Amino acid sequence: DKGASLFDLPEEENPHLGRRGCRLLLDRPELLHTQARALARASAYGPVDVLYPMIVELDQFLEIKQRFCAAAGDLPGDRLRHGVMFEVPAACLAASQLLEAADFGSIGTNDLIQYCLAIDRGNEHVAYLYEPMHPAVLQALLSVCRAADSAGIEVGMCGEMAGEDIYALILVALGFRELSMNATNI
């Protein structure tokens, strides 16, 4: 969504809803191949968590995970874990299915809030509508947390919400045990 001249991608009218994350990697298998090989090699030195962004359904997650594993091929990959990034409301609604197939999950609150509330927090005309405590956002967070509990796997939280004192307390009350934030917020 920030643009990268290295990839030689055509400009999109709304890159936040376009080819990014796993969509880009599925469209450009050579990028996925390079990353998969590098991460598999790195796993020889310790555990590596691979987090797939912009997942919206189970089939998409299974496809990108399968392509990743195929690209890693003969490299040792037994220290790799595959996870889902929950930043799209559709993924939150399908959390039970996704977490049954994943090793872990993480919620990206910045994008999830924007997508849940259909606002661009960088747009001065609607940024005031960015509300982490909106009932729809809280319901999305709670549904993922409950699905993770049922699946018996961990789901972390990253984004600005995790770094705010009052929000962190609410996130812990919802059941989150791993919060990732900017170092200045710790």
Side-chain angles (χ1 to χ4, degrees):
D1 61 324
K2 311 234 182 342
S5 59
L6 176 69
F7 297 135
D8 189 33
L9 297 171
E11 240 180 83
E12 295 181 278
E13 190 172 319
N14 189 345
H16 288 281
L17 299 177
R19 283 193 312 178
R20 62 183 282 211
C22 69
R23 296 170 184 172
L24 175 62
L25 293 175
L26 289 171
D27 283 349
R28 301 280 301 271
E30 72 279 6
L31 298 175
L32 177 62
H33 183 270
T34 302
Q35 291 185 19
R37 305 276 302 168
L39 290 170
R41 278 194 294 278
S43 74
Y45 300 98
V48 173
D49 286 351
V50 181
L51 186 59
Y52 299 98
M54 295 298 290
I55 296 291
V56 297
E57 63 184 0
L58 179 61
D59 288 344
Q60 186 184 42
F61 175 68
L62 294 175
E63 180 181 358
I64 197 162
K65 180 180 169 185
Q66 183 276 326
R67 287 190 190 187
F68 181 100
C69 292
D74 57 343
L75 295 170
D78 59 338
R79 298 174 84 177
L80 290 167
R81 293 188 330 147
H82 302 271
V84 173
M85 183 75 164
F86 291 92
E87 56 193 333
V88 178
C92 295
L93 293 170
S96 293
Q97 289 179 312
L98 288 166
L99 290 170
E100 288 294 329
D103 299 315
F104 70 100
S106 182
I107 296 180
T109 57
N110 296 347
D111 281 339
L112 181 61
I113 294 166
Q114 289 189 120
Y115 295 145
C116 274
L117 303 179
I119 58 114
D120 177 0
R121 65 191 177 122
N123 180 328
E124 63 186 54
H125 302 290
V126 295
Y128 71 95
L129 295 170
Y130 186 86
E131 177 50 60
M133 292 291 101
H134 189 284
V137 173
L138 294 175
Q139 184 60 47
L141 297 175
L142 184 58
S143 67
V144 174
C145 199
R146 285 181 176 163
D149 286 345
S150 293
I153 64 173
E154 67 200 54
V155 171
M157 170 75 60
C158 65
E160 292 177 24
M161 188 176 179
E164 295 289 330
D165 294 349
I166 189 67
Y167 299 151
L169 288 172
I170 292 167
L171 295 171
V172 170
L174 288 173
F176 292 97
R177 299 295 176 254
E178 182 180 310
L179 304 178
S180 174
M181 64 201 71
N182 290 323
T184 58
N185 294 96
I186 294 176

